[in-house]
Amino acid sequence: MANAQSRERTIKEILSIEQDDLDQDTGIALTSLITTAVHDEEPKHDLPSILGAIKESKCASQLEPLTVIPIVIGSAKDGVDDILDLMTKECSAKEVVMAVEEAVETLERRLRTEDEGEDEEQSHRASTAAQVTRLIKAYTNTLPQLPRWKKSPKDAIETRLAELNAVTTQLSGNTTAQESGSIVLAASHLVLALSSGADQGAKEPLSCLIESTVAAFPNHFYAGLARHAFQSHFRRLVVPTSGPSTSKDSEDVLAIAWSALRSLGITTSSYERRPSLAAFVLLAHNAAYTFSTPTLTDFFPLILSSIQANVALDEVLSVLINTLAPLRSATTPVELDTDLIVPLAHLLPHLASNHSDPDIRHYTFRILSLVLGLAPPPVRLGILKDLLGDEDMPPQMRIAAIGLLKEAVLEGLSDQGQNIFASRHLLATFGPLVLRPAPFGSFGTVTLDAFLDSPEPLRLVECLGFYYVLLQRDQNNRTGVRDTDALRNVQKELVAPLKTRISSWAPGTLAISRPELGDHENALQFGILEMWVTRVDDAIVDMQ
């Protein structure tokens, strides 16, 4: 009793509280002070000052977790985390765990009924993600202290971790990258704290906790994996930049997650055998791991669904680059299974054309090039024909596909054996798609404004460039490109119509028609096109 009265006097002295203003029971008095500090806009004693007084008077054990934790858990005010940390270390572990259980259940109910938005709009209210992080940290300090943990580890944690999994799953899509990283980090530290005393039965719910938190936030691990993979395998295409490098926070988060998993005896081979989104993300972030072709095949349905849903794209693109690029550069030619090639060839063009991030578009296009390079030539030809001939394909992809066709033809010409891209089948298939202006048959009536507003100028430059390279490189006329009839046909259907229209669209006419673009832009655009028309025209004349 004397000690309690001494603590009471100390608290009063430190906080300058009048005798009658503090309850005789220290626990009740502290609860009252904390409640006022949390709910009042300008409390006389804020949480940091109350915390300091508690520490100085050594009365932390008088705090009442079952009452205080529900009061502070949702507050965003300074000092909440320190008070929670103090309670988990100085108060009854059993009472703290009971309070955390109740708080988790409350959050889960609120998320399920979707009324958390109203709660978080209140002033000084912590986000649900921040509350979850606090609760996981509280478990980290208290669960190992429970007698039940030492007797039956699985029984001590299974239900509690399942409730945490339910909350984090419902949080998916409603957190910032920093918040989700904090949750994964807290879950990893919880697993590390419990792993040493865990029996085999407890290891499953512990690993499930990490996997569920990783799977809940697959788009929040900004480690620049695709960028690193691209820079590693396409050094000649890397453009040096002076911009800030990607933060390593997410890498550190998943490194700690892997430490926690390894403490449970889990290795990369454990995830190879059971594909899931969490397994894929974790394997992708393991710098020491490389996907083999069989493993890629096992994860392939997940990869396709991730591309379609725009989920974990950084991980997906990095895995595809790191797996396919070495196959493409192998000394012995390698062909990928068509069951992998065809679905990717249908999905990647749209991602490469429509994604808002230019880097993602670039990486995806290079992956498409890798996929086509690993396809059997007849399959590759069919895919390219679809890319160039499908009117529903985004225009920018139809233009870029001409470059992919050029890659295939150059490879075919360098192949001493039989290759469909170095045969007369090439012009029969792609001539109508590439070696004529669009719209064919009515190009002579297209107005200048319509021409400038369309992707046709860029497409024609690519078409002329492709034809010129083919004409120069096919020295043995394996494709028939140097045949007299073929030369005459290109001159008639491509070069002559372009020369006619360019001459009718004089520079002066351009400036008058599109004054907002200015003479320079018009002249530059048409200058490039005219240069290629002249170059191809001269090459055809030389051949004849």
Side-chain angles (χ1 to χ4, degrees), residues 464 467-469 471-472 481-482 487-488 490-492 494-496 498-499 529-544:
L464 291 165
Y467 179 73
Y468 184 80
V469 169
L471 205 57
Q472 299 301 315
V481 69
R482 296 184 174 212
L487 293 170
R488 187 182 300 114
V490 172
Q491 183 73 262
K492 175 184 176 183
L494 179 64
V495 178
L498 284 175
K499 289 174 66 177
L529 181 59
E530 188 173 18
M531 178 196 71
W532 275 108
V533 170
T534 302
R535 181 176 291 180
V536 169
D537 190 31
D538 291 344
I540 291 175
V541 171
D542 290 342
M543 294 289 175
Q544 292 175 328

Side-chain angles (χ1 to χ4, degrees), residues 448 452 506-520 522-523:
L448 175 59
L452 291 173
T509 305
L510 291 175
I512 295 171
S513 176
R514 298 293 294 270
E516 73 278 7
L517 295 179
D519 293 347
H520 176 72
N522 288 327

Side-chain angles (χ1 to χ4, degrees), residues 132-449:
V132 171
T133 301
R134 289 170 174 171
L135 294 170
I136 297 175
K137 288 180 178 179
Y139 269 156
T140 301
N141 290 334
T142 54
L143 283 177
Q145 301 178 43
L146 295 181
R148 191 179 179 190
W149 166 249
K150 296 177 175 61
K151 294 179 181 178
S152 178
K154 182 179 179 181
D155 291 342
I157 64 172
E158 188 170 33
T159 302
R160 296 178 175 111
L161 297 191
E163 291 171 346
L164 280 178
N165 289 338
V167 170
T168 55
T169 300
Q170 292 182 70
L171 269 179
S172 178
N174 296 316
T175 64
T176 66
Q178 183 176 359
E179 288 174 335
S180 58
S182 296
I183 292 175
V184 174
L185 190 62
S188 301
H189 283 303
L190 173 57
V191 171
L192 284 168
L194 297 173
S195 60
S196 60
D199 56 18
Q200 197 58 40
K203 289 181 179 181
E204 184 176 346
L206 286 171
S207 63
C208 183
L209 176 65
I210 292 181
E211 292 161 12
S212 66
T213 54
V214 170
F217 314 111
N219 290 337
H220 284 171
F221 304 111
Y222 302 122
L225 297 182
R227 175 171 56 84
H228 291 306
F230 179 81
Q231 291 174 344
S232 175
H233 294 284
F234 297 97
R235 289 188 177 91
R236 63 184 181 84
L237 299 179
V238 175
V239 179
T241 62
S242 57
S245 60
T246 303
S247 170
K248 291 186 178 294
D249 289 348
S250 59
E251 294 179 89
D252 295 337
V253 165
L254 290 175
I256 295 173
W258 265 113
S259 296
L261 290 167
R262 281 191 289 268
S263 73
L264 301 174
I266 293 175
T267 64
T268 55
S269 61
S270 305
Y271 287 132
E272 287 179 331
R273 296 189 294 268
R274 47 188 182 96
S276 67
L277 179 59
F280 182 79
V281 171
L282 286 164
L283 289 174
H285 282 266
N286 190 319
Y289 182 80
T290 301
F291 278 73
S292 64
T293 303
T295 305
L296 182 72
T297 303
D298 290 339
F299 278 87
F300 195 65
L302 188 145
I303 289 173
L304 294 181
S305 63
S306 295
I307 294 174
Q308 291 173 315
N310 199 28
V311 170
L313 278 185
D314 188 40
E315 289 77 9
V316 167
L317 298 182
S318 71
V319 167
L320 290 175
I321 292 173
N322 285 328
T323 306
L324 301 182
L327 297 178
R328 187 75 173 96
S329 59
T331 305
T332 304
V334 177
E335 288 186 357
L336 205 60
D337 194 306
T338 54
D339 288 340
L340 303 181
I341 291 170
V342 173
L344 287 174
H346 281 88
L347 288 179
L348 294 176
H350 296 280
L351 181 63
S353 303
N354 300 325
H355 199 276
S356 58
D357 188 330
D359 287 336
I360 294 294
R361 296 198 300 269
H362 187 196
Y363 304 152
T364 305
F365 182 75
R366 294 323 311 171
I367 294 170
L368 177 60
S369 173
L370 291 173
V371 170
L372 290 174
L374 293 167
V379 175
R380 188 177 189 178
L381 183 137
I383 293 171
L384 286 170
K385 183 180 178 182
D386 290 341
L387 289 176
L388 290 163
D390 186 357
E391 295 184 357
D392 293 330
M393 190 65 62
Q396 57 269 40
M397 178 49 61
R398 296 179 69 186
I399 295 170
I402 299 171
L404 297 175
L405 175 62
K406 187 191 299 182
E407 290 179 3
V409 171
L410 292 177
E411 289 176 26
L413 292 173
S414 65
D415 187 352
Q416 298 304 313
Q418 295 293 319
N419 190 298
I420 198 169
F421 286 98
S423 71
R424 293 178 179 271
H425 195 68
L426 174 73
L427 291 181
T429 302
F430 295 102
L433 300 174
V434 175
L435 302 181
R436 56 178 58 175
F440 184 69
S442 59
F443 180 68
T445 62
V446 173
T447 65
L448 175 59
D449 284 345

Side-chain angles (χ1 to χ4, degrees), residues 22-44:
L22 190 66
D23 195 282
Q24 294 300 312
D25 184 283
T26 305
I28 296 175
L30 290 174
T31 299
S32 176
L33 287 170
I34 291 172
T35 302
T36 302
V38 167
H39 294 299
D40 285 10
E41 286 294 328
E42 297 181 359
K44 183 177 180 181

